[in-house]
Amino acid sequence: MADTYSTLTMTLEGGDVTIRLRPDLAPEHVARIAELANDGFYDGVVFHRVIPGFMAQGGDPTGTGMHGSDKPNLKQEFSKEPHVRGTCSMARTMDPNSANSQFFICFDDARFLDGQYTVWGEVTEGMELIDALPKGEPPANPGKIVSMKAA
């Protein structure tokens, strides 16, 4: 990994969400998220699946939950890091090595996901903006990522 990123700033319609990146847990996933963010991939992408008390999922450029970037899927980088409020983790299919660009942010304790999904970061500021995202699968008027940048 040529660049080392420590923070991701996700600008939503209501303001900024700051995410501490965890390359110590998932270096390849952090590199992918940072690369896509800095390329503008996530700009304008919606949260297509927002389940109260569970999580908000986004990262599909089509907004359907069925697609990702044109980059190859990533091998899993599972860890013992718990899925708790503010945890940022990668979405995938039943294949553990199918993460690509979709991610989710936990609203609450979701420890049943531990060791099965790749944790790549944690929200340190702005969690109230994630809490305020429109709910639904998909939401009638989904919340949108205005821009996302890694530094």
Side-chain angles (χ1 to χ4, degrees), residues 11-149:
T11 303
L12 302 179
E13 288 152 330
D16 288 348
V17 176
T18 304
I19 298 170
R20 179 171 76 102
L21 296 172
R22 297 293 309 272
D24 56 315
L25 298 177
E28 297 302 319
H29 286 71
V30 167
R32 169 68 56 85
I33 292 273
E35 175 186 15
L36 291 173
N38 289 343
D39 285 348
F41 176 85
Y42 291 110
D43 299 0
V45 172
V46 300
F47 283 90
H48 63 270
R49 186 170 174 236
V50 183
I51 304 170
F54 180 32
M55 58 92 217
Q57 183 174 334
D60 173 357
T62 70
T64 64
M66 304 299 291
H67 299 90
S69 76
D70 59 5
K71 300 189 179 310
N73 288 344
L74 294 163
K75 281 186 153 355
Q76 61 88 4
E77 293 178 291
F78 300 159
S79 67
K80 295 192 185 321
E81 195 68 16
H83 283 78
V84 294
R85 180 169 169 77
T87 297
C88 303
S89 194
M90 290 303 273
R92 61 171 179 80
T93 66
M94 295 298 287
D95 176 355
N97 299 313
S98 62
N100 186 291
S101 65
Q102 290 191 48
F103 63 90
F104 61 92
I105 301 173
C106 297
F107 287 125
D108 214 336
D109 189 310
R111 301 291 302 264
F112 61 93
L113 300 175
D114 293 0
Q116 301 175 68
Y117 291 82
T118 299
V119 174
W120 56 266
E122 63 185 312
V123 174
T124 56
E125 289 179 59
M127 190 62 197
E128 69 281 0
L129 298 169
I130 301 299
D131 291 336
L133 287 168
K135 311 301 186 271
E137 299 183 63
N141 295 298
K144 186 181 295 186
I145 299 169
V146 176
S147 70
M148 202 152 106
K149 294 290 175 230

